[in-house]
């Protein structure tokens, strides 16, 4: 099998199923042998550069721990301290920054979510521009379109609890009301990777919360190729019925980007929160979970408790949210070992 050394990871959709399986297998090995795996020093004295245009708990901490546990170091970079060129200010170009960083680092991670960009897709374009010029791998640490590390950690959690073969198991990816006005990235990555792995994925949301049509088209194609199913519903009964996994998360409406431009981020967020508050039923509760096939509850974090999910479900015996958070560490170690170390 071809080596993954040097590969970028912008979305799991661009890696083959075999490559994703190889990554997951190594992540499970790292989980089983956290400090004594034969690859534990594979990034000995290497540095992974991390650009955060937006805040983070899990991603920053898990990448820092991952680099440390592989014998290397992760450097936290705040782009505003770096004199980078933007559309409105002079500064260093991506070409130069990426080339220079490639002389220092074994890999570059970038997080750029909706409030750091002017239009949907600009974050994805930025990652691809870095990937074009960098001679080391560029890894998405969550951007406006995708969150590949999260998608892999979700699958790892589902397999820990549901077994390795999840083909034809039902994943309900359901919109939840909330005050955090969430990105599309984790949700889009989840429906992409799970349709590729042959699950039956039901995407449920109130009318008006459509995701990227290119992504939902890929999900249809993925399901046709994997033998799974992909459907979109706007009805909670239909969504929860028979689900094996429930992943409840808020996401912003497609109008959000335009509103940010027109009235600014704060006013656009206020509008989204007011709109979301209308959908009282769209919270993952014990009542809704009772319609499922004793489903596991999933979330990528941070959880908006009392909005996306009740405490009772989030803290209940079928919740796997902390396992999924832990898995970020194991999958990122696997990604780094495979793409950044000559293993
Ligand atoms: N799930 C996730 O990426 O969490 P953070 O935003 O805390 O990094």
């Amino acid at each position: 099998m071809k080596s993954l050394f040097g590969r970028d990871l912008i979305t799991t959709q661009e890696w083959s199923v075999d490559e994703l399986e190889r990554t997951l297998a190594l992540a499970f090995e790292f989980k089983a042998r956290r400090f004594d795996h034969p690859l534990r020093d594979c990034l000995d004295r290497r540095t992974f550069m991390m650009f955060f245009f937006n805040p983070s708990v899990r991603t920053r901490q898990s990448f820092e721990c991952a680099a440390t546990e592989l014998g290397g170091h992760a450097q936290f970079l705040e782009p505003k301290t770096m004199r980078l060129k933007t559309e409105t200010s002079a500064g260093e170009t991506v070409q130069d920054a990426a080339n220079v960083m490639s002389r220092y680092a074994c890999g570059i991670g970038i997080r750029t979510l909706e409030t750091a960009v002017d239009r949907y897709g600009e974050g994805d374009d930025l990652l691809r521009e870095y990937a074009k010029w960098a001679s080391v791998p560029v890894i998405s640490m969550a951007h406006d379109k995708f969150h590949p590390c999260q998608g892999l950690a979700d699958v790892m959690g589902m397999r820990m609890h549901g077994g390795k073969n999840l083909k034809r198991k039902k994943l309900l990816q359901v919109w939840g009301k909330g005050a955090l006005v969430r990105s599309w990235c984790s949700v889009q990555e989840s429906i992409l990777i799970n349709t590729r792995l042959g699950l039956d994925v039901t995407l449920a949301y109130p009318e008006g919360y459509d995701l990227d049509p290119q992504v939902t088209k890929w999900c249809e194609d993925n399901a046709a190729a994997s033998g799974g199913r992909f459907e979109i519903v706007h009805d909670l009964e239909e969504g929860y019925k028979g689900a094996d996994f429930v992943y409840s998360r808020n996401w912003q409406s497609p109008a959000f980007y335009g509103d940010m431009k027109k009235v600014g981020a704060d006013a656009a967020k206020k509008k989204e929160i007011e709109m979301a508050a209308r959908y009282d039923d769209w919270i993952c509760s014990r009542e809704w979970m009772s319609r499922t096939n004793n489903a596991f509850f999933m979330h990528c974090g941070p959880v908006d408790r009392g909005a996306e999910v009740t405490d009772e479900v989030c803290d209940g015996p079928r919740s796997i949210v902390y396992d999924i958070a832990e898995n970020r560490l194991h999958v990122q170690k696997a990604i780094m070992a495979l793409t950044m170390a000559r293993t």
Side-chain angles (χ1 to χ4, degrees):
M1 197 183 278
K2 204 167 159 253
S3 166
L4 282 164
F5 182 72
R7 278 285 290 280
D8 303 312
L9 180 55
I10 292 176
T11 167
T12 56
Q13 185 73 11
E14 293 168 352
W15 281 24
S16 70
V17 170
D18 280 351
E19 289 163 346
L20 298 175
E21 290 293 358
R22 203 175 348 150
T23 308
L24 286 163
L26 184 56
F28 272 105
E29 278 187 34
F30 278 132
K31 181 175 168 62
R33 300 183 62 184
R34 182 157 171 191
F35 299 110
D36 70 345
H37 191 277
L39 295 178
R40 71 180 174 190
D41 290 321
C42 69
L43 291 186
D44 183 23
R45 285 167 286 184
R46 309 287 171 86
T47 301
F48 177 63
M49 300 285 188
M50 304 190 297
F51 275 59
F52 279 94
F53 289 87
N54 299 85
S56 160
V57 171
R58 277 146 291 272
T59 304
R60 177 180 177 181
Q61 293 175 12
S62 55
F63 264 111
E64 289 199 10
C65 293
T68 304
E69 292 183 19
L70 295 177
H73 167 68
Q75 188 176 123
F76 177 74
L77 298 165
E78 276 192 284
K80 67 173 185 280
T81 65
M82 292 169 60
R83 286 196 307 255
L84 296 171
K85 184 173 167 30
T86 69
E87 282 174 16
T88 51
S89 63
E92 187 157 16
T93 61
V94 171
Q95 176 181 346
D96 291 337
N99 269 294
V100 170
M101 283 191 284
S102 299
R103 301 292 177 104
Y104 304 138
C106 61
I108 299 170
I110 302 177
R111 162 166 291 202
T112 180
L113 297 169
E114 54 287 338
T115 50
V117 298
D118 284 333
R119 59 171 172 83
Y120 174 70
E122 189 182 328
D124 195 69
D125 291 347
L126 183 75
L127 263 86
R128 292 180 193 282
E129 184 71 3
Y130 270 93
K132 177 177 154 189
W133 296 109
S135 57
V136 294
V138 170
I139 308 295
S140 169
M141 299 194 303
H143 64 284
D144 50 0
K145 283 192 173 181
F146 307 119
H147 197 350
C149 301
Q150 187 64 55
L152 283 159
D154 295 339
V155 171
M156 192 175 171
M158 292 161 84
R159 288 186 177 181
M160 281 167 63
H161 294 277
K164 184 170 180 198
N165 185 2
L166 299 177
K167 277 185 191 285
R168 306 310 313 265
K169 294 279 183 194
K170 178 175 174 179
L171 166 65
L172 168 64
Q173 186 78 51
V174 59
W175 183 90
K177 63 185 176 154
L180 291 181
V181 191
R182 299 297 177 83
S183 169
W184 291 355
C185 62
S186 305
V187 172
Q188 296 195 149
E189 197 70 54
S190 169
I191 59 177
L192 283 170
I193 192 167
N194 285 301
T195 48
R196 285 187 84 205
L197 296 175
L199 281 85
D200 289 348
V201 177
T202 298
L203 178 66
Y205 55 88
E207 304 269 5
Y209 284 91
D210 290 347
L211 296 172
D212 182 341
Q214 171 71 80
V215 169
T216 49
K217 171 71 174 67
W218 282 337
C219 289
E220 285 164 15
D221 297 345
N222 290 346
S226 69
R229 212 156 57 92
F230 176 68
E231 63 171 358
I232 295 177
V233 302
H234 302 295
D235 178 73
L236 284 165
E237 297 265 0
E238 211 179 326
Y240 276 93
K241 193 174 165 195
D244 298 292
F245 297 93
V246 173
Y247 183 162
S248 168
R249 179 165 166 86
N250 174 260
W251 66 83
Q252 68 219 10
S253 77
F256 183 61
Y257 283 95
D259 288 341
M260 274 201 300
K261 264 196 144 159
K262 273 190 247 155
V263 295
D266 289 344
K269 275 189 181 171
K270 189 163 170 276
K271 184 180 158 198
E272 289 285 324
I273 293 164
E274 283 166 7
M275 210 163 86
R278 286 188 224 139
Y279 299 101
D280 251 357
D281 267 2
W282 291 75
I283 176 170
C284 181
S285 62
R286 184 159 59 94
E287 289 70 31
W288 283 123
M289 289 298 271
S290 70
R291 320 284 175 97
T292 67
N293 184 25
N294 198 20
F296 292 102
F297 175 73
M298 306 165 58
H299 197 287
C300 54
V303 181
D304 194 356
R305 286 169 176 260
E308 293 171 319
V309 60
T310 61
D311 285 342
E312 191 179 24
V313 171
C314 195
D315 297 329
R318 304 297 279 177
S319 172
I320 60 172
V321 295
Y322 298 140
D323 285 334
I324 287 172
E326 180 191 321
N327 292 341
R328 292 291 304 277
L329 170 70
H330 307 306
V331 298
Q332 288 156 203
K333 283 171 75 175
I335 292 163
M336 293 168 94
L338 291 166
T339 63
M340 298 173 209
R342 290 195 182 276
T343 52

